Amino acid sequence: MHMHVARQDGTGQRNLLDQLTLDQLRERRSVKWRAYPPDVLPLWVAEMDTSLAPPIREALIAAIERGDTGYAHPGRAVEAFAAFAESRFGWRVDPAAGAVMPDVLRGIVAGLEQVTAVGDGVIINPPVYYPFSSFIRFAGRRVVSSPLVERPDGRWVLDLDRLGDDLARSDVTAYLLCNPHNPTGTVFSENELLAIAELSARHGVRVIVDEIHAPMVFPETRFTPFLSLAERASAASSAFVLTAATKAWNLAGLVTGLLIAGPGATADLERVSKAARHGTGLLGVIATQAAFESGGPWLDTVMRDLDANRKLLGDLLARSLPEIRYVWPEATYLAWLDCRGLDLGEEPAEVFLRRGKVALNAGLMFGRQGKGHVRLNFATSPGILAEAVSRMAEARHA
Ligand SMILES: Cc1ncc(COP(=O)(O)O)c(C=O)c1O
């Protein structure tokens, strides 16, 4: 296996995605590394193959040394996020309008419980992060699909006409938006967000935005936090936003999310029950606070390394699988690959797993728009990425 692909940016700084060997990664007990047998390269679920950012590692080790494993106190996690949001996005968050939640998905459910009734329709934009549908159903609400559309250049965008029609439906009371969008990597522009807010206000639909990937927007793209539009758009003022440090700093196993209410939704936030808030772990809160307070430099470095992988993946595919269509994501480390040109059937992920021993996310999980697509997680070493693409190329011929 050719495991070493040299860095080419001349910085000489160590690649944060190339610190751990494959053998070390295989010792991990997380789902990414345990769900498949050891001959499979796992490039699926959204975990990164990095070590912990040093400030987070130190905060966690200090907590372990104190024996500090009692019930979670929210500490200054929301305040730390507010300072991060102001310095990164120029967005001022009132810490009193934020709450620590067990995780983002349960924060979404808590938000839906405040702004919708059982049986109401909730809009999502497939192909989209598949737990959205299951958690909407789990909350007793109904999924209303308003799909993104693929532009001729391969970028997935909102269909505002269709969205307007869907928001006008009498059974729809909420819109669950994912920005940055998983799996397509699209970051919606300020104008698109204003259009969403305008349409939602017109039809009395409440907006909940999942911004978990927002810390991971690549430098060429500007990210607009939905709540930063609150003074200009009433639907932004009445929105809920979910965020977390768990994607950008790879802390998913520590299970902590933040629910932030717009200025017009603070009364709804206060109604979120203790039961809905229950379940955060103290180590998650400690790690989240450390990430937002002191994890910025590490995040900048990992984004540099992810950017290199984003390009490397393009080069590797152009060389050995040119039939796959790949548009660089504007954020995060998930590549949404259109494999229809390979003629591997509706679910190419099955072929890549069976013949190539590479685990990817199956496109149809994200909605029927995902037919012939796979989602590939490139937050791994350049060597593993190169090996995975080489196995995928061989799988096509097998
Ligand atoms: C868009 C999106 N939302 C939520 C989550 C999961 O968040 P949590 O683990 O806090 O529920 C993910 C994880 O990949 C995600 O991509």
Side-chain angles (χ1 to χ4, degrees):
M1 213 201 267
H2 44 286
M3 294 298 293
H4 287 283
V5 176
R7 286 193 62 82
Q8 305 199 330
D9 68 359
T11 62
Q13 281 181 48
R14 211 156 157 215
N15 185 343
L16 295 177
L17 294 163
D18 209 5
Q19 292 173 298
L20 299 164
T21 65
L22 190 54
D23 286 342
Q24 286 172 320
L25 289 166
R26 289 205 192 285
E27 283 171 20
R28 287 194 166 177
R29 298 205 222 164
S30 65
V31 67
K32 183 181 190 186
W33 288 93
R34 288 291 152 138
Y36 293 95
D39 58 342
V40 170
L41 280 182
L43 280 72
W44 63 295
V45 68
E47 296 179 19
M48 288 198 276
D49 295 341
T50 50
S51 301
L52 273 176
I56 301 175
R57 183 173 185 276
E58 282 156 26
L60 289 172
I61 288 174
I64 298 293
E65 282 177 352
R66 287 193 301 270
D68 199 359
T69 48
Y71 289 114
H73 178 277
R76 297 186 54 78
V78 180
E79 286 80 357
F81 173 71
F84 176 85
E86 177 150 19
S87 76
R88 293 267 155 163
F89 311 128
W91 165 38
R92 286 183 173 230
V93 181
D94 172 8
V100 175
M101 297 299 294
D103 60 19
V104 165
L105 285 167
R106 283 177 286 169
I108 289 171
V109 169
L112 286 174
E113 281 170 352
Q114 292 310 312
V115 304
T116 63
V118 170
D120 285 1
V122 179
I123 291 182
I124 59 170
N125 301 124
V128 72
Y129 180 60
Y130 48 84
F132 277 13
S133 318
S134 42
F135 277 73
I136 289 170
R137 287 194 201 103
F138 166 63
R141 277 65 174 167
R142 280 180 306 101
V143 175
V144 174
S145 286
S146 194
L148 297 186
V149 289
E150 190 180 4
R151 274 195 332 208
D153 66 0
R155 186 170 185 264
W156 288 76
V157 293
L158 282 171
D159 177 350
L160 283 171
D161 290 335
R162 166 76 192 261
L163 182 64
D165 291 345
D166 291 326
L167 286 164
R169 284 173 50 159
S170 60
D171 60 327
V172 165
T173 55
Y175 176 15
L176 176 55
L177 174 69
C178 189
N179 186 38
H181 188 269
N182 171 5
T184 63
T186 298
V187 174
F188 300 112
S189 69
E190 181 173 305
N191 281 339
E192 286 172 306
L193 297 174
L194 285 168
I196 286 171
E198 203 273 314
L199 289 167
S200 301
R202 190 187 303 165
H203 300 294
V205 171
R206 296 287 294 269
V207 184
I208 299 179
V209 192
D210 180 340
E211 297 185 352
I212 194 171
H213 293 282
M216 309 192 86
V217 173
F218 288 106
E220 79 279 0
T221 299
R222 210 178 98 91
F223 174 73
T224 305
F226 196 67
L227 295 185
S228 72
L229 304 173
E231 282 175 15
R232 293 154 70 188
S234 63
S237 176
S238 68
F240 276 126
V241 162
L242 278 306
T243 189
T246 48
K247 290 296 124 186
W249 289 274
N250 200 42
L251 306 170
L254 297 180
V255 200
T256 303
L258 301 178
L259 175 61
I260 318 280
T266 47
D268 295 318
L269 178 68
E270 278 160 26
R271 277 195 295 272
V272 173
S273 69
K274 282 220 170 77
R277 295 172 196 233
H278 186 82
T280 311
L282 179 56
L283 294 179
V285 179
I286 289 171
T288 297
Q289 184 176 324
F292 286 126
E293 266 171 7
S294 321
W298 184 91
L299 176 64
D300 292 336
T301 309
V302 87
M303 288 308 293
R304 174 205 66 183
D305 298 333
L306 288 171
D307 195 11
N309 273 5
R310 180 172 68 146
K311 293 173 184 147
L312 173 63
L313 177 61
D315 294 344
L316 294 166
L317 291 173
R319 211 175 311 140
S320 46
L321 281 165
E323 301 87 347
I324 292 186
R325 184 170 187 179
Y326 163 55
V327 176
W328 287 7
E330 292 157 352
T332 206
Y333 47 78
L334 305 166
W336 183 237
L337 304 179
D338 180 349
C339 305
R340 286 173 294 181
L342 286 173
D343 267 337
L344 295 178
E346 290 205 343
E347 205 69 293
E350 284 172 6
V351 180
F352 292 131
L353 178 62
R354 184 163 32 88
R355 298 195 206 146
K357 306 281 181 212
V358 178
L360 307 169
N361 287 92
L364 283 170
M365 299 272 299
F366 300 85
R368 57 188 170 71
Q369 302 74 14
K371 187 157 111 178
H373 289 68
V374 298
R375 192 190 74 174
L376 181 150
N377 172 348
F378 58 77
T380 190
S381 73
I384 291 176
L385 190 56
E387 173 66 16
V389 174
S390 140
R391 290 186 186 192
M392 288 164 67
E394 278 166 32
R396 172 188 45 182
H397 299 302

